[in-house]
Amino acid sequence: MTSPALILMAYGSPDRLADVPDYYADIRGGRPVAPAHLDDLVARYRALGIDDSAAPSPLNAITEDTRGALERSLGIPVLTGMRHWDPRIATAVEGALERGHDTLVGLVLAPHWSSLSIARYESLFDEAVAGRAETRFVREWSSDPAFVDLLSRRLRGVRAAGLSDAHVVFTAHSLPARILDTGDTYSEALLETSRLVAEAAGIGERDWSFAFQSESPTGEPWLGPDILEHLAALRDDGVSAVVACPVGFVSDHLEIRWDLDVEAAERAREIGLGFARIEMPNAAPDMIEALAGIVRRELAAVAS
């Protein structure tokens, strides 16, 4: 009989403003940090209510709420491991092994696989386990029916609240365009998720589009179109209102609370475009049930 545990992985976020420089340095992986970019990141976190108190950031609190709810739903231990902050993925794996768990399921709180995203989590997970337990790693869950259903219901809810004619823009985090040269399926999977959600929400092909967001200032080309440019193009085409539906994010993290709620919303106001977005899944019951269903299928595969 196996003793399973779930390693729930996320990008990570600093809890205090004083931690932002180390956090950003970790993301940069030893590459030089431009002072202006660091100052901008600090300002964004400050605007979201993160300070130098001992309280956890509201961003990490969402991950902890998700972890706790998943643990209650699954009835097995769930340990959080972060890619760029504490507790690290290796720390979570080691904790599970020390407790005697011999089957570890790895799940990232990001639905779409990419060589620059989920593949990195998988590598850290495998390196930490180092063959000491049986593992199952969920590489992608972007077309999971329960996930598609919850997004479509949120989208229908926003459109029903006075925005029935609004154009829907599905979004996800941009990545360096060089991934296309390697056959990376990230862009294709994002469009497929968007198509499935639009279809489930009863949105016609001409009434939705896709844009990337949250491009980092690395000096190389990134996947586009960027959401800010796309909003202007839609306005030029006669669109009067937009509903943003992030399909590449599942929580109210910086990319949602700042990049969409501040930057995109401001751009929309500047050009006279109505703007709203769906409520993010966060740790809502339907999101927890969707994630739990994915993990249960992995555990069933181990048992079979």
Side-chain angles (χ1 to χ4, degrees), residues 11 23-24 27-28 31 34 37 40-41 44 84 116 172-178 212-223 226 249 254-255 259 263:
Y11 198 77
Y23 170 71
Y24 193 30
I27 292 174
R28 295 290 294 164
R31 298 186 301 275
H37 295 161
D40 180 62
L41 188 62
R44 294 182 182 202
H84 289 295
L116 293 183
H173 204 300
S174 185
L175 290 175
R178 55 186 157 84
F212 287 98
Q213 60 168 94
S214 310
E215 176 181 323
S216 298
T218 62
E220 63 180 314
W222 283 56
L223 298 173
D226 180 78
F249 306 94
L254 192 68
E255 293 83 0
D259 297 352
E263 290 188 335

Side-chain angles (χ1 to χ4, degrees), residues 45-98:
Y45 276 114
R46 181 182 287 112
L48 297 186
I50 294 177
D51 53 27
D52 282 322
S53 69
S57 81
L59 312 182
N60 285 333
I62 294 171
T63 303
E64 173 55 25
D65 289 345
T66 303
R67 185 209 64 77
L70 262 178
E71 188 169 78
R72 292 188 293 274
S73 177
L74 291 168
I76 64 172
V78 178
L79 295 85
T80 300
M82 305 291 192
R83 178 175 164 184
H84 289 295
W85 205 241
D86 297 323
R88 302 283 177 160
I89 292 170
T91 302
V93 167
E94 205 60 40
L97 294 174
E98 289 176 356

Side-chain angles (χ1 to χ4, degrees), residues 4-214:
L6 172 65
I7 307 300
L8 184 68
M9 288 170 269
Y11 198 77
S13 174
D15 282 317
R16 303 180 306 151
L17 285 179
D19 293 328
V20 174
D22 287 342
Y23 170 71
Y24 193 30
D26 194 272
I27 292 174
R28 295 290 294 164
R31 298 186 301 275
V33 174
H37 295 161
L38 176 59
D39 291 344
D40 180 62
L41 188 62
V42 169
R44 294 182 182 202
Y45 276 114
R46 181 182 287 112
L48 297 186
I50 294 177
D51 53 27
D52 282 322
S53 69
S57 81
L59 312 182
N60 285 333
I62 294 171
T63 303
E64 173 55 25
D65 289 345
T66 303
R67 185 209 64 77
L70 262 178
E71 188 169 78
R72 292 188 293 274
S73 177
L74 291 168
I76 64 172
V78 178
L79 295 85
T80 300
M82 305 291 192
R83 178 175 164 184
H84 289 295
W85 205 241
D86 297 323
R88 302 283 177 160
I89 292 170
T91 302
V93 167
E94 205 60 40
L97 294 174
E98 289 176 356
R99 297 183 193 182
H101 299 291
D102 56 10
T103 300
L104 304 185
V105 176
L107 175 67
V108 184
L109 287 173
H112 301 83
W113 184 88
S114 171
S115 57
L116 293 183
S117 59
I118 305 303
R120 302 281 177 88
Y121 289 90
E122 185 174 13
S123 177
L124 290 170
F125 177 70
D126 289 342
E127 289 173 7
V129 176
R132 293 177 291 168
E134 183 172 1
T135 61
R136 302 281 300 187
F137 186 89
V138 182
R139 302 188 80 211
E140 189 162 18
W141 46 277
S142 57
S143 297
D144 178 76
F147 177 59
V148 169
D149 179 64
L150 71 86
L151 288 182
S152 67
R153 282 188 282 106
R154 281 163 171 73
L155 187 52
R156 287 196 300 270
V158 175
R159 284 167 62 87
L163 291 169
S164 58
D165 295 329
H167 184 88
V168 175
V169 179
F170 296 100
T171 73
H173 204 300
S174 185
L175 290 175
R178 55 186 157 84
I179 68 170
L180 300 178
D181 297 332
T182 66
D184 195 295
T185 58
Y186 182 63
S187 294
E188 297 171 12
L190 287 168
L191 288 175
E192 176 63 7
T193 303
S194 301
R195 184 191 67 79
L196 291 171
V197 174
E199 186 177 87
I203 299 167
E205 292 182 5
R206 296 184 177 181
D207 296 326
W208 69 269
S209 56
F210 184 88
F212 287 98
Q213 60 168 94
S214 310

